[in-house]
Amino acid sequence: MVAGINMKALEDFCDKHIKSFVCWDLVIFFFDNKEGLEGDADALAAAIGRNPEEVTRHIEDLVESGLLVRSGDRYVLTEDVEQRHSVEEFVRAVDDRSQRLALLTLLLKKGIR
Amino acid sequence: MQALEETIISRRAVRKFKKDPVPPELLEQVFELARWMPVIDAFHSWQYYVVSGKKRDEAMDIISRNTIHLRDLLENMDEANKEKALHFYPDLGGAPVIVFQTIPKIESEWQRKYAQALAGMSMYLFMLGVHRAGLASCGVTLAPWIEEKLMEQFGIEDSEVVFALAIGYADEEPKTPKKSPERVTYL
């Protein structure tokens, strides 16, 4: 377990933002690529290895839940400090082997695909 | 010929591995077989990278940031696949070795397509060799941005990953999958 990770907060984060494993992949991608990616959903889909239709749908989910914002010709992570902190906690959990297993178990139990 | 047919038909994608390390000489035998890929040297552009130990952990942690390699399990999410996903995802089923196959970055679309096709054929020979050597493997789908991160991590420049394979001794016996007939049109 990673010290200092609040599992309840992580569960709340997943309930609110991680509606699918495409959302998971998008959140990690935007965390690692803070400047976003120029282009539309096709470019993003090509980067994360998914098809454009599902990426379009799930980007909109993340915009609606307040994690992503449109900035000019690209999507980027929100500047909101609290949201950013919750993304950091999610990424920290994914980067830890036991925590990512716990996360996967949690999401599979919820029926996330 | 029967031995070849048996090797081809009995190979399975294994997603749960024993902790036992893979002896380097066994892998050398497999590369020796892959060397017989039917292609002239001028078209031999692919390169294999073998990672184990600490570097394998580094690679695995990068790969596991993305979930694309679970896609086929998640698409048919019954209890058995859930179990498999949970075993495989955190550390690629405990595979002690990951092999990456790369080709150089190529501008020309047709040359790139050709290089990828030949590399894929070589990788299939390699996979059969792994199976014949008593080892097991599972292809690992990588998102392109994850491929780039891996290349960066290992200081490999001007290359793209064509294929990644988790390798080790099997700790499960996957069922025989249903296989659709080949799509063939006789003209």
Side-chain angles (χ1 to χ4, degrees):
Chain A
M1 291 283 168
V2 184
I5 284 194
N6 178 339
M7 216 39 212
K8 176 72 178 72
L10 209 53
E11 277 193 51
D12 291 346
F13 176 85
C14 290
D15 281 343
K16 191 171 176 196
H17 303 291
I18 309 297
K19 309 284 185 210
S20 69
F21 286 101
V22 178
C23 288
W24 171 314
D25 291 351
L26 284 167
V27 170
I28 300 282
F29 176 83
F30 282 107
F31 178 81
D32 271 27
N33 298 274
K34 300 275 192 309
E35 72 289 0
L37 183 73
E38 194 179 339
D40 52 13
D42 284 11
L44 258 178
I48 68 164
R50 300 280 183 171
N51 76 55
E53 292 75 25
E54 59 182 353
V55 166
T56 302
R57 194 166 67 244
H58 294 295
I59 282 180
E60 290 311 320
D61 286 343
L62 291 171
V63 170
E64 202 174 302
S65 70
L67 219 56
L68 292 184
V69 290
R70 183 85 184 167
S71 170
D73 62 354
R74 62 190 67 203
Y75 292 96
V76 291
L77 271 185
T78 173
E79 292 290 331
D80 182 274
V81 176
E82 265 185 43
Q83 296 271 44
R84 283 255 178 162
H85 177 70
S86 62
V87 171
E88 275 166 30
E89 291 296 280
F90 176 72
V91 174
R92 214 150 67 87
V94 169
D95 280 342
D96 176 81
R97 263 164 242 163
S98 60
Q99 286 285 346
R100 65 176 169 249
L101 178 59
L103 266 180
L104 184 70
T105 308
L106 174 78
L107 293 173
L108 291 179
K109 266 190 191 158
K110 288 180 188 293
I112 298 291
R113 304 252 170 114
Chain B
M1 193 52 74
Q2 272 184 336
L4 175 64
E5 192 178 325
E6 168 61 22
T7 304
I8 292 170
I9 292 174
S10 62
R11 200 204 78 82
R12 300 278 174 275
V14 166
R15 291 187 174 86
K16 193 178 174 196
F17 299 90
K18 292 178 181 165
K19 287 190 186 328
D20 309 14
V22 174
E25 59 274 17
L26 212 51
L27 273 184
E28 281 307 313
Q29 281 178 29
V30 180
F31 283 118
E32 180 57 29
L33 182 73
R35 198 163 70 87
W36 289 93
M37 163 77 186
V39 65
I40 59 169
D41 276 351
F43 292 131
H44 186 171
S45 63
W46 60 93
Q47 161 92 36
Y48 288 98
Y49 293 91
V50 180
V51 291
S52 57
K54 193 171 169 291
K55 287 197 186 302
R56 170 261 184 208
D57 291 349
E58 289 168 13
M60 191 195 66
D61 284 339
I62 293 172
I63 291 169
S64 300
R65 304 196 94 206
N66 195 276
T67 62
I68 188 76
H69 58 292
L70 297 180
R71 185 176 49 188
D72 58 335
L73 295 176
L74 298 175
E75 271 175 9
N76 176 20
M77 188 46 81
D78 55 16
E79 282 307 311
N81 275 353
K82 250 186 211 177
E83 258 325 283
K84 278 189 177 188
L86 289 172
H87 275 302
F88 191 59
Y89 173 66
D91 67 346
L92 297 183
V97 172
I98 305 171
V99 168
F100 297 105
Q101 186 197 42
T102 67
I103 55 170
K105 282 195 171 156
I106 299 169
E107 287 282 321
S108 154
E109 193 51 42
W110 80 264
Q111 283 181 332
R112 180 170 177 247
K113 201 162 77 178
Y114 197 56
Q116 285 174 330
L118 291 176
M121 286 165 68
S122 168
M123 181 49 98
Y124 183 58
L125 261 191
F126 182 80
M127 286 163 82
L128 288 182
V130 164
H131 177 46
R132 193 163 162 262
L135 295 164
S137 66
C138 181
V140 182
T141 312
L142 302 176
W145 79 278
I146 293 290
E147 288 176 17
E148 283 174 21
K149 275 202 159 295
L150 284 167
M151 296 291 93
E152 197 182 305
Q153 176 73 22
F154 296 120
I156 302 166
E157 293 180 347
D158 300 321
S159 298
E160 65 171 300
V161 178
V162 180
F163 213 92
L165 199 66
I167 298 175
Y169 288 100
D171 197 17
E172 65 167 356
E173 280 184 38
K175 288 181 194 153
T176 305
K178 281 183 192 156
K179 290 282 181 187
S180 308
E182 282 298 287
R183 288 185 283 264
V184 182
T185 305
Y186 295 93
L187 301 173

